Amino acid sequence: GSCLESVKVAIDTGYRHIDGAFVYYNEHEVGQAIREKIAEGRIKREDIFYCGKLWNTCHPPELVRPTLEKTLKILQLDYVDLYIIELPMAFKPGDAIYPKDENGKIIYHKTDLCATWEAMEACKDAGLAKSIGVSNFNRRQLEMILNKPGLKYKPVSNQVECHPYFTQPKLLEFCRQHDIVIVGYSPLGTSRDETWVNVSSPPLLKDPVLNAIGKKYNKTAAQVALRFSIQRGVVVIPKSFNPQRIRENFQIFDFSLTEKEMKEIEALNKNVRYVELLM
């Protein structure tokens, strides 16, 4: 239930971009929150930009559309605004989200990303997704799609980890050249969950530079980190279930960082990922 309430608080605060995924197991709550806010007259469906994701077990082309249709059924919406391939690797299709062998190793599946992409294009043509994109793709994987013979639609976005400790300058530049928007996940560093996070890296929000700049503007380190990203042209999707922080993360449009401050924050780049995606 906390997801339902959080999305409602976010919509009331002014958020319109909601980043979701089948594997977050909360799309039923997100869909309910959107529908309730539409019923209240707070928003129209077209005000919301919902991003859904194709999971690794669903890469074979014949599974792409049924998977998206399942997401739409859970959300109880007619379309998603953006549908993205969550990771550039495939797992063995089936009911298990993380299919494993008897030794506990992930069972991978050989698929062709270009064929998966063609199935994504068909979803856009069918009106089930307004736009299509990718996530966690590197330059080589993006080029594979961009150079695909008969490409109908190129990815509109690439969702990757991006924050002051991992600024992704080369990927950002490559995507700019190809009109691909970088959407930065974990823009505040991330939660310190040892099951999927490299906790040996220092917490981003304790950084003295971010805190010092925050003091100057009467802002938090989190607000400075988010402002830094949007000034670089990176879309941010901060995650929070705390109503106060949800509101705080939105209050970044009433100040801007100087060129000198942007450079100081850029210099914090350590080139390390919090989210290591070890699978």
Side-chain angles (χ1 to χ4, degrees), residues 31 35 71-78:
R35 292 192 314 278
T71 280
L72 292 173
K73 200 174 166 187
I74 294 168
L75 287 164
Q76 293 182 43
L77 298 175
D78 298 330

Side-chain angles (χ1 to χ4, degrees), residues 5-146:
E5 287 313 311
S6 298
V7 174
K8 282 161 56 170
V9 168
I11 290 171
D12 286 342
T13 301
Y15 288 85
R16 295 295 177 260
H17 175 181
I18 299 169
D19 181 70
F22 173 68
V23 291
Y24 298 165
Y25 303 113
N26 59 12
E27 286 189 312
H28 56 293
E29 291 186 42
V30 176
Q32 188 186 334
I34 293 170
R35 292 192 314 278
E36 283 183 19
K37 286 295 163 189
I38 291 171
E40 277 175 30
R42 287 282 312 193
I43 49 165
K44 299 188 190 75
R45 167 64 186 95
E46 56 271 26
D47 296 333
I48 291 292
F49 187 90
Y50 185 82
C51 170
K53 303 188 182 83
L54 180 78
W55 182 240
N56 309 4
T57 52
C58 309
H59 280 207
E62 67 278 8
L63 296 181
V64 174
R65 180 169 175 161
T67 303
L68 173 51
E69 285 171 340
K70 192 171 168 188
T71 280
L72 292 173
K73 200 174 166 187
I74 294 168
L75 287 164
Q76 293 182 43
L77 298 175
D78 298 330
Y79 65 89
V80 292
D81 300 271
L82 175 62
Y83 198 53
I84 63 179
I85 300 176
E86 189 157 356
L87 284 151
M89 84 249 321
F91 296 166
K92 180 188 165 199
D95 293 332
I97 295 291
Y98 292 96
K100 290 179 176 167
D101 64 17
E102 60 279 4
N103 303 314
K105 292 267 190 286
I106 292 269
I107 306 169
Y108 294 97
H109 188 70
K110 204 172 171 67
T111 50
D112 173 3
L113 273 178
C114 290
T116 305
W117 186 253
E118 284 170 10
M120 298 280 285
E121 291 178 325
C123 289
K124 176 171 157 60
D125 282 337
L128 302 177
K130 300 270 185 194
S131 295
I132 50 176
V134 296
S135 179
N136 298 301
F137 274 49
N138 61 26
R139 177 181 175 150
R140 187 178 59 79
Q141 290 151 346
L142 285 169
E143 282 176 339
M144 216 159 88
I145 305 281
L146 294 170

Side-chain angles (χ1 to χ4, degrees), residues 247-260:
R247 288 189 270 268
E248 238 173 46
N249 291 341
F250 199 76
Q251 291 158 0
I252 58 171
F253 302 104
D254 55 355
F255 78 111
S256 56
L257 301 166
T258 65
E259 210 169 308
K260 179 173 173 280

Side-chain angles (χ1 to χ4, degrees), residues 96-234:
I97 295 291
Y98 292 96
K100 290 179 176 167
D101 64 17
E102 60 279 4
N103 303 314
K105 292 267 190 286
I106 292 269
I107 306 169
Y108 294 97
H109 188 70
K110 204 172 171 67
T111 50
D112 173 3
L113 273 178
C114 290
T116 305
W117 186 253
E118 284 170 10
M120 298 280 285
E121 291 178 325
C123 289
K124 176 171 157 60
D125 282 337
L128 302 177
K130 300 270 185 194
S131 295
I132 50 176
V134 296
S135 179
N136 298 301
F137 274 49
N138 61 26
R139 177 181 175 150
R140 187 178 59 79
Q141 290 151 346
L142 285 169
E143 282 176 339
M144 216 159 88
I145 305 281
L146 294 170
N147 300 331
K148 186 185 87 61
L151 180 71
K152 202 166 184 186
Y153 307 113
K154 66 181 185 183
V156 297
S157 61
N158 184 17
Q159 189 181 122
V160 294
E161 181 174 344
C162 194
H163 47 73
Y165 282 179
F166 193 54
T167 53
Q168 301 264 31
K170 285 182 178 168
L171 188 63
L172 188 56
E173 187 46 42
F174 176 79
C175 287
R176 269 200 194 119
Q177 288 166 3
H178 293 273
D179 282 331
I180 297 170
V181 176
I182 287 272
V183 177
Y185 66 72
S186 300
L188 303 175
T190 190
S191 69
R192 312 297 281 175
D193 181 341
E194 290 181 8
T195 56
W196 56 279
V197 171
N198 170 8
V199 288
S200 66
S201 296
L204 178 70
L205 300 184
K206 296 249 165 52
D207 188 90
V209 173
L210 296 178
N211 282 282
I213 292 171
K215 212 166 238 163
K216 174 185 161 186
Y217 294 105
N218 201 16
K219 294 286 177 185
T220 64
Q223 288 167 321
V224 172
L226 294 175
R227 182 71 211 181
F228 165 75
S229 287
I230 63 164
Q231 277 187 222
R232 300 174 77 218
V234 172

